[in-house]
Every structure is written in structure tokens, then in C-alpha cells.
Amino acid sequence: MAVAFVAALATFQRFPVEVDGVATPVATLFAGDGPAAVPDRGETDTLSAHFSFCHSGGGSNCVVDGDTFWFAGEKYRVADIDTPETHPARCAEEAALGGAATERLQQWLNDGAFSLESMGRDSDRYGRKLRIVTRGGASVGSMLVDEGLARPWEGARRPWCGGAS
């Protein structure tokens, strides 16, 4: 009976529950004096700046397109998405969608603190830092996909023109 209890307790400690939208191991709920013991992902979002647009060349705290931006002297690629090209766009539909994705990324970055999470590979062949960009644990890439302004990254670009999406 003691073995069954220990096994159940071990399972209980690993089983996550959702508290305020954050998956939390049950054991952490009892590891302190109450709610303060629950991790707050928002506390890790410490990066912020005012972002303008910079469609070509280097920049400082600016958005190049829907999945590329400069921050603190480094160029970043949002690693979990693919957005339409804007420089140059291959058709009017791609230009419009790419412009909307660019504006939305700029708006999101300017809306508050965020985090840059490594995804394994540090940079791409163009020297851009590959990062998942999050706020409160939610990816800006997922938001852009949900809004129809991006696709999940599948390892290669696909055309945005001619109904191929």
C-alpha cells in the first residue's frame, strides 16, 4: 500500500493544472504560502523598446517585415512562422498581407515587454538570431498565424501568390 501511495504522489506532483492560464505542476501549488508559489510567466518578460519600421539596411529597434526585426543592435527572425515577403513582394496579394503582418508585428512589439526564447539553432544563414518571441508565454508567431497573417514555419518557404497558401 505504501508503494501505491508513493507512486500516486509522484504522478500527482508531475501532473500540471492550469492556474490563471499557466500550466503549473500541482506540487508547486503547495510549495509555499499560497498563490505566490505559482510561477508567473509575465515576470520573465523584461525586454522592451519603441519599435519603428526599417525596411532595408541595419536598424535599431525596428521592424523589417512580418517575421524580422532589429532589437538592441541584433537582427532577429521570428523562428516559428513564415510571413509574406515585402522586399520585394511577388504579387499584390503578398504585398498587402506582408504589409499587414509587418504592421501587426510592430504593434505587438510596442504593446509591452516580451521575451526572446532560444529554439535550438542560434542563427539562420543570413545571420539573424532565431528566436520564439513571447509575451506571457504566448508566441507572437501563433498570434500572427491565428490572425491569418503568417503560417507556421515548416522548414521551407512556400509561395504566397496565385492561391498557394
Side-chain angles (χ1 to χ4, degrees), residues 21-162:
V22 176
T24 305
V26 170
T28 63
L29 298 176
F30 303 101
D33 294 329
V38 177
D40 179 3
R41 289 189 181 157
E43 290 177 7
T44 63
D45 297 331
T46 59
L47 306 174
S48 66
H50 175 75
F51 288 83
S52 59
F53 295 109
C54 55
H55 297 297
S56 62
S60 177
N61 302 334
C62 57
V63 175
V64 177
D65 60 25
D67 57 23
T68 306
F69 63 96
W70 284 86
F71 174 65
E74 296 282 348
K75 194 172 188 180
Y76 290 92
R77 166 78 161 69
V78 181
D80 56 345
I81 58 169
D82 176 35
T83 59
E85 293 301 320
T86 56
H87 312 294
R90 292 167 186 85
C91 63
E93 179 183 2
E94 184 175 42
L97 196 57
T102 302
E103 289 177 17
R104 185 65 176 107
L105 178 60
Q106 183 218 24
Q107 176 190 24
W108 188 92
L109 287 168
N110 283 330
D111 279 347
F114 59 92
S115 295
L116 297 171
E117 300 176 11
S118 181
M119 47 77 60
R121 208 169 102 206
D122 186 58
S123 59
D124 66 8
R125 63 182 173 166
Y126 303 108
R128 299 176 294 186
K129 301 281 186 186
L130 295 171
R131 299 293 186 271
I132 307 294
V133 185
T134 62
R135 176 176 298 123
S139 162
V140 67
S142 294
M143 181 212 56
L144 289 168
V145 169
D146 290 347
E147 293 180 5
L149 299 172
R151 292 190 286 242
W153 178 249
E154 299 171 343
R157 293 194 171 275
R158 293 187 336 214
W160 289 88
C161 300

